Amino acid sequence: MTHNRYALRFWQLFWGLGLYGFSMALMLRANLGLDPWDVLHQGLAPRMGLSFGMTVNLIGALVLLLWWPLKQRPGVGTIANILVIGTAVDLSLMLLPTPEGLWVRTAWLGAGIILNGIAGGAYIGAGMGPGPRDGLMTGLCRRTGWPVKWVRTAIEIGVLAIGWLLGGTVGVGTILYAATIGWIVHHALPFFRIAAPERPARA
């Protein structure tokens, strides 16, 4: 039974991360505004000479290095996050056409945000370790004693400002994402939360 639960958690983790990357590709193709971190990734990608997805993976790895002074410990999900999401974005961008017409682009944006929230609920619900960016937030909260809302807001505003200055796409999608993603993840998470198997008690 424990074996099956671990397999289910791994499966959910990886399809959740893959769907997360696909949802990011939808928002990129819609070209109506990205979430703050993706504004940064888009602004950095041409300057680094990398694809968007490889930039996502590289920034994830660099953010993970910031965990060291915060004494955060990565999990399997943390490493998978770095390797899978950006790769899934690049593969999805290869397959997705560029939508024409505002209505189609708006539909792609809406689908991207909804799927992003569902995917977030799935990989978080697998309970195998936070993503590098989420771990940075929780580590800063623990070290500073500041509430999550302040730390999360400061990080999001900071990366958004840098990304915008570097040429990342800020638009209605950025605002819509910020206003809805928390609500979507909140309601998706209960459907995907898998409790970790209990460890046997020591004699």
Side-chain angles (χ1 to χ4, degrees):
M1 186 68 174
T2 298
H3 213 47
N4 291 339
R5 186 174 292 183
Y6 272 120
L8 178 61
R9 292 170 69 204
F10 270 106
W11 165 245
Q12 183 171 298
L13 169 69
F14 280 95
W15 75 251
L17 292 173
L19 182 62
Y20 199 94
F22 175 74
S23 70
M24 289 166 61
L26 282 174
M27 289 185 280
L28 276 164
R29 284 286 187 250
N31 197 31
L32 291 171
L34 302 170
D35 71 89
W37 278 101
D38 285 342
V39 173
L40 176 64
H41 298 144
Q42 189 182 49
L44 285 172
R47 288 166 172 76
M48 300 176 74
L50 297 173
S51 67
F52 182 90
M54 290 304 100
T55 302
V56 171
N57 289 350
L58 178 59
I59 295 302
L62 293 176
V63 170
L64 184 59
L65 294 178
L66 298 177
W67 284 31
W68 182 262
L70 299 174
K71 297 182 179 179
Q72 289 279 91
R73 292 184 178 181
V76 172
T78 311
I79 305 304
N81 187 295
I82 294 172
L83 298 175
V84 174
I85 290 181
T87 305
V89 174
D90 277 352
L91 291 174
S92 299
L93 289 173
M94 291 171 60
L95 299 173
L96 287 171
T98 300
E100 297 183 4
L102 181 59
W103 287 109
V104 179
R105 292 166 59 204
T106 301
W108 283 38
L109 172 65
I113 292 174
I114 292 170
L115 291 176
N116 192 270
I118 293 171
Y123 84 73
I124 293 170
M128 303 194 75
R133 298 155 186 83
D134 293 329
L136 175 64
M137 176 192 69
T138 56
L140 286 171
C141 289
R142 191 179 68 250
R143 289 297 297 271
T144 63
W146 297 345
V148 170
K149 60 183 179 182
W150 291 0
V151 174
R152 179 63 180 263
T153 300
I155 292 174
E156 298 284 319
I157 290 175
V159 298
L160 178 62
I162 295 171
W164 178 71
L165 290 172
L166 292 174
T169 304
V170 178
V172 64
T174 310
I175 298 171
L176 189 60
Y177 186 94
T180 61
I181 193 63
W183 183 89
I184 298 171
V185 173
H186 174 80
H187 288 280
L189 191 54
F191 291 98
F192 296 109
R193 184 175 282 120
I194 303 174
E198 295 182 3
R199 295 180 180 180
R202 294 183 179 180

PDB file of all heavy atoms in Angstrom, residues 42-74:
ATOM      1  N   GLN A  42      11.446  35.840 -19.400  1.00  0.00           N
ATOM      2  CA  GLN A  42      11.371  36.313 -20.780  1.00  0.00           C
ATOM      3  C   GLN A  42      12.373  37.442 -21.037  1.00  0.00           C
ATOM      4  O   GLN A  42      12.982  37.509 -22.100  1.00  0.00           O
ATOM      5  CB  GLN A  42       9.955  36.780 -21.096  1.00  0.00           C
ATOM      6  CG  GLN A  42       9.721  37.086 -22.567  1.00  0.00           C
ATOM      7  CD  GLN A  42       8.321  37.590 -22.828  1.00  0.00           C
ATOM      8  OE1 GLN A  42       7.838  38.496 -22.144  1.00  0.00           O
ATOM      9  NE2 GLN A  42       7.650  37.001 -23.804  1.00  0.00           N
ATOM     10  N   GLY A  43      12.532  38.322 -20.053  1.00  0.00           N
ATOM     11  CA  GLY A  43      13.493  39.406 -20.210  1.00  0.00           C
ATOM     12  C   GLY A  43      14.934  38.930 -20.230  1.00  0.00           C
ATOM     13  O   GLY A  43      15.782  39.484 -20.940  1.00  0.00           O
ATOM     14  N   LEU A  44      15.224  37.878 -19.470  1.00  0.00           N
ATOM     15  CA  LEU A  44      16.595  37.377 -19.378  1.00  0.00           C
ATOM     16  C   LEU A  44      16.982  36.473 -20.541  1.00  0.00           C
ATOM     17  O   LEU A  44      18.153  36.442 -20.933  1.00  0.00           O
ATOM     18  CB  LEU A  44      16.776  36.591 -18.072  1.00  0.00           C
ATOM     19  CG  LEU A  44      16.894  37.400 -16.784  1.00  0.00           C
ATOM     20  CD1 LEU A  44      16.874  36.468 -15.572  1.00  0.00           C
ATOM     21  CD2 LEU A  44      18.169  38.229 -16.781  1.00  0.00           C
ATOM     22  N   ALA A  45      16.024  35.711 -21.071  1.00  0.00           N
ATOM     23  CA  ALA A  45      16.345  34.668 -22.056  1.00  0.00           C
ATOM     24  C   ALA A  45      17.209  35.155 -23.221  1.00  0.00           C
ATOM     25  O   ALA A  45      18.262  34.557 -23.510  1.00  0.00           O
ATOM     26  CB  ALA A  45      15.056  34.021 -22.566  1.00  0.00           C
ATOM     27  N   PRO A  46      16.826  36.243 -23.934  1.00  0.00           N
ATOM     28  CA  PRO A  46      17.666  36.659 -25.069  1.00  0.00           C
ATOM     29  C   PRO A  46      19.035  37.171 -24.642  1.00  0.00           C
ATOM     30  O   PRO A  46      20.011  37.049 -25.393  1.00  0.00           O
ATOM     31  CB  PRO A  46      16.835  37.771 -25.727  1.00  0.00           C
ATOM     32  CG  PRO A  46      15.903  38.258 -24.677  1.00  0.00           C
ATOM     33  CD  PRO A  46      15.606  37.075 -23.825  1.00  0.00           C
ATOM     34  N   ARG A  47      19.115  37.721 -23.452  1.00  0.00           N
ATOM     35  CA  ARG A  47      20.394  38.240 -22.974  1.00  0.00           C
ATOM     36  C   ARG A  47      21.339  37.112 -22.553  1.00  0.00           C
ATOM     37  O   ARG A  47      22.552  37.290 -22.540  1.00  0.00           O
ATOM     38  CB  ARG A  47      20.160  39.203 -21.807  1.00  0.00           C
ATOM     39  CG  ARG A  47      19.555  40.531 -22.252  1.00  0.00           C
ATOM     40  CD  ARG A  47      19.017  41.354 -21.103  1.00  0.00           C
ATOM     41  NE  ARG A  47      18.623  42.679 -21.550  1.00  0.00           N
ATOM     42  CZ  ARG A  47      17.516  42.945 -22.223  1.00  0.00           C
ATOM     43  NH1 ARG A  47      16.684  41.954 -22.528  1.00  0.00           N
ATOM     44  NH2 ARG A  47      17.226  44.175 -22.605  1.00  0.00           N
ATOM     45  N   MET A  48      20.754  35.984 -22.197  1.00  0.00           N
ATOM     46  CA  MET A  48      21.564  34.839 -21.793  1.00  0.00           C
ATOM     47  C   MET A  48      21.832  33.910 -22.966  1.00  0.00           C
ATOM     48  O   MET A  48      22.601  32.945 -22.839  1.00  0.00           O
ATOM     49  CB  MET A  48      20.861  34.083 -20.658  1.00  0.00           C
ATOM     50  CG  MET A  48      20.618  34.931 -19.425  1.00  0.00           C
ATOM     51  SD  MET A  48      19.683  34.071 -18.132  1.00  0.00           S
ATOM     52  CE  MET A  48      20.931  32.975 -17.503  1.00  0.00           C
ATOM     53  N   GLY A  49      21.178  34.159 -24.091  1.00  0.00           N
ATOM     54  CA  GLY A  49      21.359  33.303 -25.253  1.00  0.00           C
ATOM     55  C   GLY A  49      20.755  31.926 -25.074  1.00  0.00           C
ATOM     56  O   GLY A  49      21.220  30.951 -25.674  1.00  0.00           O
ATOM     57  N   LEU A  50      19.714  31.846 -24.246  1.00  0.00           N
ATOM     58  CA  LEU A  50      19.064  30.566 -23.966  1.00  0.00           C
ATOM     59  C   LEU A  50      17.606  30.619 -24.394  1.00  0.00           C
ATOM     60  O   LEU A  50      17.036  31.687 -24.564  1.00  0.00           O
ATOM     61  CB  LEU A  50      19.131  30.249 -22.465  1.00  0.00           C
ATOM     62  CG  LEU A  50      20.516  30.070 -21.848  1.00  0.00           C
ATOM     63  CD1 LEU A  50      20.384  29.936 -20.338  1.00  0.00           C
ATOM     64  CD2 LEU A  50      21.210  28.848 -22.431  1.00  0.00           C
ATOM     65  N   SER A  51      17.009  29.443 -24.556  1.00  0.00           N
ATOM     66  CA  SER A  51      15.575  29.385 -24.787  1.00  0.00           C
ATOM     67  C   SER A  51      14.850  29.811 -23.513  1.00  0.00           C
ATOM     68  O   SER A  51      15.441  29.857 -22.419  1.00  0.00           O
ATOM     69  CB  SER A  51      15.153  27.960 -25.159  1.00  0.00           C
ATOM     70  OG  SER A  51      15.330  27.093 -24.048  1.00  0.00           O
ATOM     71  N   PHE A  52      13.565  30.111 -23.649  1.00  0.00           N
ATOM     72  CA  PHE A  52      12.786  30.497 -22.475  1.00  0.00           C
ATOM     73  C   PHE A  52      12.813  29.389 -21.420  1.00  0.00           C
ATOM     74  O   PHE A  52      13.055  29.639 -20.237  1.00  0.00           O
ATOM     75  CB  PHE A  52      11.338  30.796 -22.885  1.00  0.00           C
ATOM     76  CG  PHE A  52      10.462  31.240 -21.743  1.00  0.00           C
ATOM     77  CD1 PHE A  52      10.342  32.583 -21.419  1.00  0.00           C
ATOM     78  CD2 PHE A  52       9.763  30.313 -20.983  1.00  0.00           C
ATOM     79  CE1 PHE A  52       9.543  32.997 -20.360  1.00  0.00           C
ATOM     80  CE2 PHE A  52       8.965  30.710 -19.917  1.00  0.00           C
ATOM     81  CZ  PHE A  52       8.854  32.061 -19.611  1.00  0.00           C
ATOM     82  N   GLY A  53      12.568  28.154 -21.858  1.00  0.00           N
ATOM     83  CA  GLY A  53      12.514  27.046 -20.906  1.00  0.00           C
ATOM     84  C   GLY A  53      13.828  26.803 -20.194  1.00  0.00           C
ATOM     85  O   GLY A  53      13.854  26.554 -18.985  1.00  0.00           O
ATOM     86  N   MET A  54      14.942  26.862 -20.928  1.00  0.00           N
ATOM     87  CA  MET A  54      16.232  26.655 -20.293  1.00  0.00           C
ATOM     88  C   MET A  54      16.562  27.799 -19.322  1.00  0.00           C
ATOM     89  O   MET A  54      17.240  27.590 -18.320  1.00  0.00           O
ATOM     90  CB  MET A  54      17.324  26.516 -21.346  1.00  0.00           C
ATOM     91  CG  MET A  54      17.242  25.222 -22.158  1.00  0.00           C
ATOM     92  SD  MET A  54      17.266  23.711 -21.128  1.00  0.00           S
ATOM     93  CE  MET A  54      15.509  23.285 -21.057  1.00  0.00           C
ATOM     94  N   THR A  55      16.052  28.994 -19.628  1.00  0.00           N
ATOM     95  CA  THR A  55      16.215  30.111 -18.687  1.00  0.00           C
ATOM     96  C   THR A  55      15.442  29.840 -17.406  1.00  0.00           C
ATOM     97  O   THR A  55      15.934  30.095 -16.297  1.00  0.00           O
ATOM     98  CB  THR A  55      15.727  31.429 -19.326  1.00  0.00           C
ATOM     99  OG1 THR A  55      16.460  31.662 -20.529  1.00  0.00           O
ATOM    100  CG2 THR A  55      15.947  32.604 -18.379  1.00  0.00           C
ATOM    101  N   VAL A  56      14.227  29.299 -17.540  1.00  0.00           N
ATOM    102  CA  VAL A  56      13.425  28.925 -16.365  1.00  0.00           C
ATOM    103  C   VAL A  56      14.192  27.925 -15.506  1.00  0.00           C
ATOM    104  O   VAL A  56      14.289  28.071 -14.274  1.00  0.00           O
ATOM    105  CB  VAL A  56      12.075  28.312 -16.797  1.00  0.00           C
ATOM    106  CG1 VAL A  56      11.332  27.731 -15.594  1.00  0.00           C
ATOM    107  CG2 VAL A  56      11.210  29.357 -17.485  1.00  0.00           C
ATOM    108  N   ASN A  57      14.761  26.902 -16.144  1.00  0.00           N
ATOM    109  CA  ASN A  57      15.503  25.890 -15.390  1.00  0.00           C
ATOM    110  C   ASN A  57      16.739  26.479 -14.715  1.00  0.00           C
ATOM    111  O   ASN A  57      17.032  26.177 -13.546  1.00  0.00           O
ATOM    112  CB  ASN A  57      15.923  24.753 -16.321  1.00  0.00           C
ATOM    113  CG  ASN A  57      14.758  23.892 -16.766  1.00  0.00           C
ATOM    114  OD1 ASN A  57      13.648  24.010 -16.251  1.00  0.00           O
ATOM    115  ND2 ASN A  57      14.987  23.024 -17.736  1.00  0.00           N
ATOM    116  N   LEU A  58      17.483  27.335 -15.437  1.00  0.00           N
ATOM    117  CA  LEU A  58      18.705  27.911 -14.890  1.00  0.00           C
ATOM    118  C   LEU A  58      18.403  28.829 -13.715  1.00  0.00           C
ATOM    119  O   LEU A  58      19.078  28.759 -12.673  1.00  0.00           O
ATOM    120  CB  LEU A  58      19.462  28.669 -15.971  1.00  0.00           C
ATOM    121  CG  LEU A  58      20.747  29.368 -15.521  1.00  0.00           C
ATOM    122  CD1 LEU A  58      21.739  28.371 -14.948  1.00  0.00           C
ATOM    123  CD2 LEU A  58      21.386  30.144 -16.676  1.00  0.00           C
ATOM    124  N   ILE A  59      17.395  29.679 -13.852  1.00  0.00           N
ATOM    125  CA  ILE A  59      17.050  30.578 -12.752  1.00  0.00           C
ATOM    126  C   ILE A  59      16.582  29.771 -11.544  1.00  0.00           C
ATOM    127  O   ILE A  59      16.897  30.106 -10.395  1.00  0.00           O
ATOM    128  CB  ILE A  59      15.960  31.583 -13.180  1.00  0.00           C
ATOM    129  CG1 ILE A  59      16.503  32.507 -14.280  1.00  0.00           C
ATOM    130  CG2 ILE A  59      15.484  32.409 -11.989  1.00  0.00           C
ATOM    131  CD1 ILE A  59      17.732  33.301 -13.895  1.00  0.00           C
ATOM    132  N   GLY A  60      15.849  28.681 -11.797  1.00  0.00           N
ATOM    133  CA  GLY A  60      15.437  27.808 -10.695  1.00  0.00           C
ATOM    134  C   GLY A  60      16.640  27.256  -9.946  1.00  0.00           C
ATOM    135  O   GLY A  60      16.652  27.209  -8.707  1.00  0.00           O
ATOM    136  N   ALA A  61      17.671  26.846 -10.691  1.00  0.00           N
ATOM    137  CA  ALA A  61      18.884  26.315 -10.058  1.00  0.00           C
ATOM    138  C   ALA A  61      19.609  27.399  -9.273  1.00  0.00           C
ATOM    139  O   ALA A  61      20.123  27.156  -8.163  1.00  0.00           O
ATOM    140  CB  ALA A  61      19.799  25.720 -11.120  1.00  0.00           C
ATOM    141  N   LEU A  62      19.670  28.610  -9.814  1.00  0.00           N
ATOM    142  CA  LEU A  62      20.340  29.713  -9.122  1.00  0.00           C
ATOM    143  C   LEU A  62      19.585  30.100  -7.851  1.00  0.00           C
ATOM    144  O   LEU A  62      20.196  30.387  -6.811  1.00  0.00           O
ATOM    145  CB  LEU A  62      20.462  30.925 -10.049  1.00  0.00           C
ATOM    146  CG  LEU A  62      21.393  30.751 -11.250  1.00  0.00           C
ATOM    147  CD1 LEU A  62      21.349  31.983 -12.151  1.00  0.00           C
ATOM    148  CD2 LEU A  62      22.823  30.477 -10.795  1.00  0.00           C
ATOM    149  N   VAL A  63      18.255  30.098  -7.933  1.00  0.00           N
ATOM    150  CA  VAL A  63      17.450  30.405  -6.739  1.00  0.00           C
ATOM    151  C   VAL A  63      17.675  29.340  -5.666  1.00  0.00           C
ATOM    152  O   VAL A  63      17.732  29.637  -4.467  1.00  0.00           O
ATOM    153  CB  VAL A  63      15.953  30.512  -7.106  1.00  0.00           C
ATOM    154  CG1 VAL A  63      15.084  30.580  -5.845  1.00  0.00           C
ATOM    155  CG2 VAL A  63      15.703  31.742  -7.973  1.00  0.00           C
ATOM    156  N   LEU A  64      17.836  28.099  -6.104  1.00  0.00           N
ATOM    157  CA  LEU A  64      18.077  27.015  -5.151  1.00  0.00           C
ATOM    158  C   LEU A  64      19.357  27.252  -4.353  1.00  0.00           C
ATOM    159  O   LEU A  64      19.443  26.898  -3.167  1.00  0.00           O
ATOM    160  CB  LEU A  64      18.152  25.678  -5.889  1.00  0.00           C
ATOM    161  CG  LEU A  64      18.305  24.423  -5.017  1.00  0.00           C
ATOM    162  CD1 LEU A  64      17.134  24.291  -4.050  1.00  0.00           C
ATOM    163  CD2 LEU A  64      18.413  23.184  -5.902  1.00  0.00           C
ATOM    164  N   LEU A  65      20.365  27.866  -4.971  1.00  0.00           N
ATOM    165  CA  LEU A  65      21.605  28.179  -4.258  1.00  0.00           C
ATOM    166  C   LEU A  65      21.358  29.140  -3.094  1.00  0.00           C
ATOM    167  O   LEU A  65      22.090  29.120  -2.105  1.00  0.00           O
ATOM    168  CB  LEU A  65      22.629  28.784  -5.226  1.00  0.00           C
ATOM    169  CG  LEU A  65      23.148  27.872  -6.335  1.00  0.00           C
ATOM    170  CD1 LEU A  65      24.111  28.641  -7.237  1.00  0.00           C
ATOM    171  CD2 LEU A  65      23.836  26.639  -5.751  1.00  0.00           C
ATOM    172  N   LEU A  66      20.327  29.976  -3.224  1.00  0.00           N
ATOM    173  CA  LEU A  66      20.007  30.917  -2.154  1.00  0.00           C
ATOM    174  C   LEU A  66      19.404  30.215  -0.938  1.00  0.00           C
ATOM    175  O   LEU A  66      19.282  30.818   0.124  1.00  0.00           O
ATOM    176  CB  LEU A  66      19.022  31.983  -2.667  1.00  0.00           C
ATOM    177  CG  LEU A  66      19.529  32.869  -3.808  1.00  0.00           C
ATOM    178  CD1 LEU A  66      18.433  33.827  -4.263  1.00  0.00           C
ATOM    179  CD2 LEU A  66      20.764  33.648  -3.372  1.00  0.00           C
ATOM    180  N   TRP A  67      19.029  28.942  -1.112  1.00  0.00           N
ATOM    181  CA  TRP A  67      18.500  28.185   0.031  1.00  0.00           C
ATOM    182  C   TRP A  67      19.588  27.898   1.070  1.00  0.00           C
ATOM    183  O   TRP A  67      19.275  27.711   2.240  1.00  0.00           O
ATOM    184  CB  TRP A  67      17.947  26.847  -0.459  1.00  0.00           C
ATOM    185  CG  TRP A  67      16.629  26.911  -1.148  1.00  0.00           C
ATOM    186  CD1 TRP A  67      16.126  27.927  -1.895  1.00  0.00           C
ATOM    187  CD2 TRP A  67      15.645  25.871  -1.188  1.00  0.00           C
ATOM    188  NE1 TRP A  67      14.904  27.593  -2.402  1.00  0.00           N
ATOM    189  CE2 TRP A  67      14.579  26.347  -1.990  1.00  0.00           C
ATOM    190  CE3 TRP A  67      15.570  24.600  -0.643  1.00  0.00           C
ATOM    191  CZ2 TRP A  67      13.441  25.573  -2.233  1.00  0.00           C
ATOM    192  CZ3 TRP A  67      14.447  23.824  -0.885  1.00  0.00           C
ATOM    193  CH2 TRP A  67      13.398  24.307  -1.659  1.00  0.00           C
ATOM    194  N   TRP A  68      20.843  27.831   0.604  1.00  0.00           N
ATOM    195  CA  TRP A  68      21.928  27.399   1.506  1.00  0.00           C
ATOM    196  C   TRP A  68      22.023  28.277   2.750  1.00  0.00           C
ATOM    197  O   TRP A  68      22.004  27.752   3.876  1.00  0.00           O
ATOM    198  CB  TRP A  68      23.250  27.378   0.742  1.00  0.00           C
ATOM    199  CG  TRP A  68      24.411  26.911   1.570  1.00  0.00           C
ATOM    200  CD1 TRP A  68      25.331  27.687   2.210  1.00  0.00           C
ATOM    201  CD2 TRP A  68      24.752  25.563   1.870  1.00  0.00           C
ATOM    202  NE1 TRP A  68      26.240  26.916   2.878  1.00  0.00           N
ATOM    203  CE2 TRP A  68      25.908  25.594   2.692  1.00  0.00           C
ATOM    204  CE3 TRP A  68      24.205  24.328   1.521  1.00  0.00           C
ATOM    205  CZ2 TRP A  68      26.518  24.436   3.163  1.00  0.00           C
ATOM    206  CZ3 TRP A  68      24.823  23.175   1.991  1.00  0.00           C
ATOM    207  CH2 TRP A  68      25.957  23.237   2.804  1.00  0.00           C
ATOM    208  N   PRO A  69      22.134  29.615   2.626  1.00  0.00           N
ATOM    209  CA  PRO A  69      22.205  30.425   3.850  1.00  0.00           C
ATOM    210  C   PRO A  69      20.895  30.431   4.643  1.00  0.00           C
ATOM    211  O   PRO A  69      20.896  30.775   5.829  1.00  0.00           O
ATOM    212  CB  PRO A  69      22.539  31.833   3.331  1.00  0.00           C
ATOM    213  CG  PRO A  69      22.072  31.839   1.916  1.00  0.00           C
ATOM    214  CD  PRO A  69      22.283  30.443   1.414  1.00  0.00           C
ATOM    215  N   LEU A  70      19.790  30.056   3.987  1.00  0.00           N
ATOM    216  CA  LEU A  70      18.494  30.019   4.671  1.00  0.00           C
ATOM    217  C   LEU A  70      18.248  28.672   5.337  1.00  0.00           C
ATOM    218  O   LEU A  70      17.226  28.478   5.995  1.00  0.00           O
ATOM    219  CB  LEU A  70      17.365  30.302   3.674  1.00  0.00           C
ATOM    220  CG  LEU A  70      17.408  31.671   2.990  1.00  0.00           C
ATOM    221  CD1 LEU A  70      16.323  31.760   1.919  1.00  0.00           C
ATOM    222  CD2 LEU A  70      17.252  32.789   4.007  1.00  0.00           C
ATOM    223  N   LYS A  71      19.179  27.727   5.126  1.00  0.00           N
ATOM    224  CA  LYS A  71      19.097  26.384   5.715  1.00  0.00           C
ATOM    225  C   LYS A  71      17.823  25.653   5.305  1.00  0.00           C
ATOM    226  O   LYS A  71      17.203  24.955   6.112  1.00  0.00           O
ATOM    227  CB  LYS A  71      19.219  26.465   7.242  1.00  0.00           C
ATOM    228  CG  LYS A  71      20.562  27.026   7.704  1.00  0.00           C
ATOM    229  CD  LYS A  71      20.681  27.043   9.214  1.00  0.00           C
ATOM    230  CE  LYS A  71      22.043  27.580   9.635  1.00  0.00           C
ATOM    231  NZ  LYS A  71      22.204  27.633  11.116  1.00  0.00           N
ATOM    232  N   GLN A  72      17.452  25.830   4.049  1.00  0.00           N
ATOM    233  CA  GLN A  72      16.331  25.093   3.478  1.00  0.00           C
ATOM    234  C   GLN A  72      16.856  23.786   2.890  1.00  0.00           C
ATOM    235  O   GLN A  72      17.965  23.730   2.355  1.00  0.00           O
ATOM    236  CB  GLN A  72      15.669  25.904   2.365  1.00  0.00           C
ATOM    237  CG  GLN A  72      14.898  27.120   2.844  1.00  0.00           C
ATOM    238  CD  GLN A  72      13.528  26.739   3.355  1.00  0.00           C
ATOM    239  OE1 GLN A  72      13.355  26.466   4.536  1.00  0.00           O
ATOM    240  NE2 GLN A  72      12.552  26.724   2.481  1.00  0.00           N
ATOM    241  N   ARG A  73      16.029  22.750   2.961  1.00  0.00           N
ATOM    242  CA  ARG A  73      16.413  21.456   2.402  1.00  0.00           C
ATOM    243  C   ARG A  73      15.525  21.120   1.209  1.00  0.00           C
ATOM    244  O   ARG A  73      14.308  21.077   1.357  1.00  0.00           O
ATOM    245  CB  ARG A  73      16.294  20.356   3.463  1.00  0.00           C
ATOM    246  CG  ARG A  73      17.307  20.474   4.584  1.00  0.00           C
ATOM    247  CD  ARG A  73      17.196  19.298   5.528  1.00  0.00           C
ATOM    248  NE  ARG A  73      18.186  19.356   6.587  1.00  0.00           N
ATOM    249  CZ  ARG A  73      18.314  18.437   7.546  1.00  0.00           C
ATOM    250  NH1 ARG A  73      17.487  17.394   7.570  1.00  0.00           N
ATOM    251  NH2 ARG A  73      19.243  18.570   8.469  1.00  0.00           N
ATOM    252  N   PRO A  74      16.124  20.887   0.051  1.00  0.00           N
ATOM    253  CA  PRO A  74      15.309  20.535  -1.122  1.00  0.00           C
ATOM    254  C   PRO A  74      14.803  19.101  -1.033  1.00  0.00           C
ATOM    255  O   PRO A  74      15.407  18.252  -0.367  1.00  0.00           O
ATOM    256  CB  PRO A  74      16.288  20.695  -2.287  1.00  0.00           C
ATOM    257  CG  PRO A  74      17.629  20.437  -1.688  1.00  0.00           C
ATOM    258  CD  PRO A  74      17.561  20.983  -0.279  1.00  0.00           C
TER     259      PRO A  74
END
